[in-house]
Amino acid sequence: MTIPIFYHPSYSSLSLPDNHRFPIEKYQLLYQFIKHELAERFRFITPEKASVDDISKVHCPIFVQQFVTGTLEPKAIRKMGFPWSPHLVERTLYSIGASIQGAKLALETQIASQISGGYHHSFPSFGSGFCIFNDLVIAARHLLDNNLVSKVVILDLDVHQGDGSAVCAQAMDDIVTISLHCEQNFPAKKQHSDYDFTLNKHANDQEYQTMLQQCLLTLLVEQPDIVLYNAGADIYSGDELGYFNVSLAGVKQREQSVISFCTSNDLPIFTASGGGYQRNVDNLVNVHKQLYLSMTNG
């Protein structure tokens, strides 16, 4: 069986200022890698745009309209981290749509993915940290509101706390947020996930894997109908915004642990790529590759 994976060309075609910190090229490079090296295991699907209604079930409708129509205040645009453009709106709507559709499909196929996503710093009424709308909370809300599931776990293993996800889902008892992150990293002000697991700077492979096992045991306790997984590549020791000392083999071990745990416990899983920050984009893509290699037992 091939694994469905969502991708849209707009993910990497966004024009950004010179020396912008966000590695926008990584999505196209990941697409090319999977298309050429893992073609027998994945099938690509082009997403549809998310609706404003779906997004507005999680985010303030005024914020949503201001973003879509280009009427955000300059301060709000700076906090978002991207210059506003119609192309940014298109890219955002396709990426949110991919997470909604991918999560729905994972219920049928047991595993599905998208090359973008994991926008966990997005709050109900503003975007931040390169995250505009919170795709995984929106996807979870869509599944729940359409009676496709009764409980969703968002498993956030990006090195940065899923602060926006914690706040977006705070009043939603049917969405459980789990975040394993670096205590000393961004954001300076942490929010309260349902479960926060923290490690200090320079945590190594063994320390990370030990804490990860606690996260996975929490999944068993919660017994969700689906896991939405933010597979941030920024836990890697070479990440410029990461602070952990996790090797490339340690990243792959994380991915294998999560995928095999969900598979062996009959938990459908949808994956989003999350963060990763290296000026050398080829090196960054190599870290992200570990997720897809693990999904194919490669």
Side-chain angles (χ1 to χ4, degrees):
M1 184 193 77
T2 54
I3 298 170
I5 185 166
F6 288 77
Y7 172 75
H8 194 274
S10 65
Y11 289 176
S12 275
S13 60
L14 184 65
S15 179
L16 295 175
D18 291 342
N19 298 317
H20 193 279
R21 196 68 189 83
F22 194 80
I24 197 74
E25 311 97 318
K26 73 177 183 179
Y27 303 108
Q28 184 178 10
L29 293 173
L30 277 169
Y31 165 73
Q32 291 170 346
F33 163 71
I34 296 167
K35 183 179 179 181
H36 294 121
E37 303 294 329
L38 302 175
E40 294 180 358
R41 295 305 312 274
F42 288 91
R43 58 185 169 95
F44 279 100
I45 301 173
T46 301
E48 298 175 0
K49 291 181 181 179
S51 70
V52 166
D53 285 347
D54 265 325
I55 297 170
S56 298
K57 289 178 181 176
V58 171
H59 293 283
C60 169
I62 295 173
F63 165 49
V64 177
Q65 285 297 332
Q66 287 177 336
F67 174 74
V68 170
T69 58
T71 54
L72 285 170
E73 294 290 331
K75 182 179 179 181
I77 295 173
R78 286 194 299 272
K79 190 172 184 64
M80 200 167 64
F82 290 125
W84 187 90
S85 68
H87 196 155
L88 177 64
V89 175
E90 180 178 78
R91 179 186 185 275
T92 300
L93 295 180
Y94 276 123
S95 188
I96 304 300
S99 289
I100 294 171
Q101 294 154 52
K104 287 173 70 174
L105 194 52
L107 293 173
E108 302 172 21
T109 61
Q110 289 295 111
I111 186 167
S113 184
Q114 86 132 316
I115 290 180
S116 182
Y119 301 128
H120 62 164
H121 296 312
S122 172
F123 282 71
S125 59
F126 62 90
S128 71
F130 308 130
C131 302
I132 298 157
F133 300 135
N134 201 305
D135 62 309
L136 296 186
V137 179
I138 293 167
R141 193 71 263 148
H142 180 91
L143 297 182
L144 290 156
D145 289 350
N146 286 278
N147 299 313
L148 298 173
V149 297
S150 58
K151 184 191 281 189
V152 178
V153 162
I154 296 176
L155 177 64
D156 193 331
L157 301 186
D158 192 280
V159 77
H160 306 105
Q161 191 206 30
D163 55 342
S165 301
V167 174
C168 284
Q170 203 163 41
M172 303 177 184
D173 293 339
D174 43 12
I175 301 177
V176 177
T177 52
I178 300 174
S179 180
L180 167 53
H181 53 269
C182 178
E183 178 64 31
Q184 292 84 10
N185 210 323
F186 176 90
K189 181 183 178 182
K190 303 295 191 287
Q191 302 295 330
H192 296 288
S193 309
D194 291 300
Y195 299 91
D196 283 301
F197 297 90
T198 61
L199 288 166
N200 290 320
K201 278 185 178 181
H202 314 305
N204 60 27
D205 289 12
Q206 184 177 355
E207 292 168 320
Y208 191 92
Q209 189 66 21
T210 298
M211 193 65 79
L212 175 60
Q213 293 308 310
Q214 293 187 38
C215 290
L216 297 178
L217 289 175
T218 303
L219 286 181
L220 275 187
V221 172
E222 287 293 338
Q223 296 187 309
D225 298 304
I226 188 171
V227 175
L228 307 184
Y229 173 38
N230 181 0
D234 43 16
I235 68 164
Y236 174 57
S237 60
D239 196 273
E240 291 150 25
L241 301 181
Y243 300 174
F244 279 165
N245 193 27
V246 175
S247 69
L248 192 63
V251 174
K252 189 169 185 179
Q253 184 182 19
R254 179 192 74 173
E255 311 303 21
Q256 290 173 332
S257 295
V258 172
I259 299 297
S260 63
F261 182 89
C262 290
T263 301
S264 61
N265 286 284
D266 293 322
L267 281 173
I269 180 171
F270 169 75
T271 76
S273 64
Y277 302 92
Q278 295 183 61
R279 295 287 183 187
N280 186 318
V281 181
D282 289 331
N283 288 346
L284 170 60
V285 167
N286 195 39
V287 184
H288 278 294
K289 285 179 183 179
Q290 305 312 308
L291 172 64
Y292 306 101
L293 291 169
S294 299
M295 291 167 73
T296 60
N297 298 314

